[in-house]
Amino acid sequence: MASSTTTSTPTPTPAPGTAAAAFDKSSEVYERMTGGCTREVAKFLLTLDPKVDSSSVILDNACGTGIMAEEILGLFRDAAKPKIHAADLAPSMISNFAAKAKIKGWVVDGNGGDLLTVEVMDAEDLTYPNNTFTHSYTNLGFPFFPHAEKAAEHVYRTLQLGGTAFVSTWKTLGYMGPLQEAQRAVRPNEAPWESPMPKDWYTQEKLTQVLVSAGFETEKIQILTKSVGYRGKDLGDLLDIVKTGFLAIVTNGWSEEEKEQWVKELPNALTEQEKESASIEMVAWIAVAQK
């Protein structure tokens, strides 16, 4: 399946200081920084009904490096494939995904019949026509949209009647405990670092409210939870992932000696089970909403 990369005119760009801008800078190491948990959620979404088939028309919304689309395509290796549109506001995420798609040779006929399009596009201003998609996936993107209700309206607008939106957010960021415990060991009198994810997004009520505001009916929204792992190949790898992902932001403004001490404290902040499994539990909220 070939990928075609299209951009709007003018091409949207992430505003400085936003989550999209941060993701744009970290696209090269994004999946490693997630410890595989984002892909694990994506795989779970594809087990939910209604499942995709070769006739589906799919949106991978806020697609990042294309994890969701890649998992979908993996289900159809030797069969007719569904049509997928993938979009993200971070240009580097899109360029990385487009390059991966080219390398993998996702080609239909090479004559404009590509089943995968990869585009730079703002989730709050999707340019797809009304009633386009049978399935719309937004995997762990909504808490980081500046105007989530607006993004939800576009998800609803672009779904076909009877189509289904799958939206995941975080209920529990398991790595927050070890990050903060290691911080307290070095700077006990300092307020602990907090994730940029707004606190109300840890509740299912926020997820439901945003979808209802967009037009989804409450009785057509199902809320599930899914436990996944923030994992390393072994304990050393897990600690390296945590260090790579969080050292700069958690210890911003610290001395080099304090930063080194924080890294040394990380193993002490993990439970014995986390050390043994090289995994920290994360829990996702998942909404399945039919139009």
Side-chain angles (χ1 to χ4, degrees):
M1 182 186 307
S3 121
S4 61
T5 305
T6 310
T7 55
S8 307
T9 305
T11 301
T13 56
T18 62
F23 290 140
D24 193 39
K25 293 178 180 178
S26 64
S27 61
E28 292 288 344
V29 294
Y30 170 75
E31 187 160 5
R32 176 166 172 74
M33 287 172 56
T34 68
C37 60
T38 300
R39 187 175 290 274
E40 194 172 346
V41 174
K43 289 180 178 180
F44 178 72
L45 293 179
L46 294 176
T47 69
L48 302 175
D49 292 325
K51 298 180 178 66
V52 297
D53 60 32
S54 60
S55 67
S56 301
V57 183
I58 302 162
L59 174 62
D60 182 2
N61 190 30
C63 67
T65 54
I67 290 172
M68 193 80 236
E70 186 176 5
E71 288 297 325
I72 293 169
L73 293 172
L75 299 176
F76 297 87
R77 295 185 186 278
D78 301 313
K81 298 173 176 60
K83 175 73 174 178
I84 303 176
H85 293 269
D88 197 284
L89 184 55
S92 70
M93 292 282 193
I94 289 298
S95 63
N96 284 344
F97 181 30
K100 179 192 296 184
K102 183 176 181 180
I103 292 170
K104 286 182 175 288
W106 289 328
V107 177
V108 180
D109 56 17
N111 295 314
D114 300 342
L115 295 184
L116 172 66
T117 61
V118 185
E119 306 181 70
V120 177
M121 193 183 299
D122 190 344
E124 296 179 10
D125 191 23
L126 297 178
T127 59
Y128 304 112
N130 294 347
N131 309 310
T132 298
F133 303 109
T134 60
H135 297 69
S136 180
Y137 294 92
T138 311
N139 189 21
L140 305 169
F142 262 91
F144 305 103
F145 297 152
H147 306 98
E149 286 80 3
K150 187 176 180 181
E153 289 172 4
H154 279 279
V155 167
Y156 185 84
R157 176 187 66 77
T158 57
L159 267 179
Q160 297 178 13
L161 183 63
T164 304
F166 300 83
V167 179
S168 61
T169 67
W170 288 120
K171 177 182 180 182
T172 305
L173 291 174
Y175 53 62
M176 289 301 299
L179 293 179
Q180 293 178 342
E181 185 174 335
Q183 180 186 354
R184 283 191 293 268
V186 182
R187 288 193 170 189
N189 298 321
E190 184 173 271
W193 177 81
E194 294 288 350
S195 165
M197 180 172 153
K199 291 186 181 299
D200 56 350
W201 271 108
Y202 292 105
T203 69
Q204 65 174 324
E205 288 77 14
K206 175 66 174 180
L207 177 55
T208 301
Q209 175 263 311
V210 167
L211 292 174
V212 169
S213 74
F216 291 99
E217 299 174 15
T218 303
E219 59 270 23
K220 292 185 177 182
I221 301 173
Q222 180 184 14
I223 303 293
L224 309 170
T225 61
K226 175 62 178 177
S227 174
V228 297
Y230 185 89
R231 308 177 192 276
K233 297 175 182 177
D234 51 34
L235 178 57
D237 188 48
L238 174 62
L239 293 170
D240 186 67
I241 292 170
V242 175
K243 176 184 174 181
T244 301
F246 296 101
L247 175 63
I249 52 179
V250 174
T251 66
N252 184 36
W254 291 21
S255 69
E256 290 303 314
E257 183 179 353
E258 287 175 315
K259 291 178 181 180
E260 291 177 8
Q261 185 60 35
W262 182 80
V263 172
K264 291 179 181 179
E265 290 292 341
L266 282 175
N268 301 327
L270 298 175
T271 67
E272 290 304 315
Q273 181 178 352
E274 288 168 341
K275 294 176 186 177
E276 183 176 348
S277 63
S279 178
I280 300 171
E281 184 183 35
M282 307 273 281
V283 183
W285 290 116
I286 294 165
V288 181
Q290 184 182 46
K291 181 175 179 180

